[in-house]
Amino acid sequence: MGGISVLLLMGILSAIFFIFLAIFIVIVIYQIITYIFESFAIMEMGKNLQYKVVGTAWIPFYNKYLLGKIAQHKVLGVILAILNVVIVITGIGSYVQNDLNAILFGSFLICVFASFILDSIIAHKIYTKAIGKYGDILTVFGVLTLGFLRPIFLFVVKNKIKS
């Protein structure tokens, strides 16, 4: 009887592990897809604005600076790039360190929230520059979907940005 309960518990724990693994894989795939959409949109907007080297849109963290530059707010782009570096460092640190896990994870969450706000502000400035008053609607939908649609909206308005 005891062996059956152990087998049942092991089955439940392995099912939970596979559920978390599946969620992690879905998040990674989503991040890769949004990175591709956003980088391609930044590259096309850079071409339209006649930037010299548009291939830099594919450089991680630097593409956030380029987004700020496209929105004509370089300072916000620099802050966003730094926040994304801090997000990666605190995310890895909170996974590796067990002693400071709560502090690192708390800073990770704060940086993710601040990054979301800055991303939304920069995207709103780009939307309004591209399509005028309808940019507010795209911003609202971007925020309501927790940023899931933001890279797609940037991709859609990429050709409307002109120098």
Side-chain angles (χ1 to χ4, degrees):
M1 195 74 142
I4 294 175
S5 63
V6 169
L7 288 175
L8 182 65
L9 182 62
M10 287 176 51
I12 291 172
L13 291 176
S14 65
I16 291 172
F17 170 75
F18 284 117
I19 290 171
F20 281 123
L21 184 63
I23 291 171
F24 178 75
I25 290 171
V26 167
I27 290 171
V28 168
I29 290 171
Y30 167 76
Q31 288 295 327
I32 291 170
I33 291 170
T34 58
Y35 180 77
I36 289 170
F37 270 105
E38 188 173 77
S39 295
F40 189 71
I42 293 170
M43 188 175 72
E44 290 298 315
M45 286 186 267
K47 282 181 189 175
N48 293 341
L49 294 172
Q50 299 170 352
Y51 291 163
K52 293 178 184 172
V53 184
V54 293
T56 57
W58 295 93
I59 299 173
F61 311 118
Y62 184 73
N63 63 0
K64 297 300 182 179
Y65 164 74
L66 287 177
L67 240 136
K69 188 175 177 182
I70 291 167
Q72 298 174 342
H73 289 279
K74 290 182 184 178
V75 174
L76 289 180
V78 169
I79 294 170
L80 185 58
I82 291 170
L83 273 175
N84 281 319
V85 170
V86 172
I87 287 170
V88 169
I89 291 171
T90 56
I92 292 170
S94 66
Y95 178 75
V96 172
Q97 290 289 332
N98 289 332
D99 299 337
L100 302 173
N101 200 8
I103 295 169
L104 286 174
F105 189 68
S107 6
F108 170 78
L109 290 178
I110 290 169
C111 289
V112 165
F113 185 68
S115 175
F116 173 73
I117 291 171
L118 283 179
D119 259 334
S120 298
I121 291 170
I122 290 174
H124 176 71
K125 296 199 181 290
I126 292 173
Y127 300 152
T128 54
K129 183 179 176 183
I131 58 174
K133 63 182 178 180
Y134 298 109
D136 297 338
I137 296 170
L138 294 182
T139 303
V140 167
F141 279 116
V143 170
L144 289 178
T145 61
L146 301 175
F148 288 119
L149 293 179
R150 186 187 48 78
I152 295 168
F153 290 157
L154 285 172
F155 184 78
V156 169
V157 301
K158 72 184 182 308
N159 291 327
K160 305 266 189 214
I161 298 291
K162 303 286 182 203
S163 55

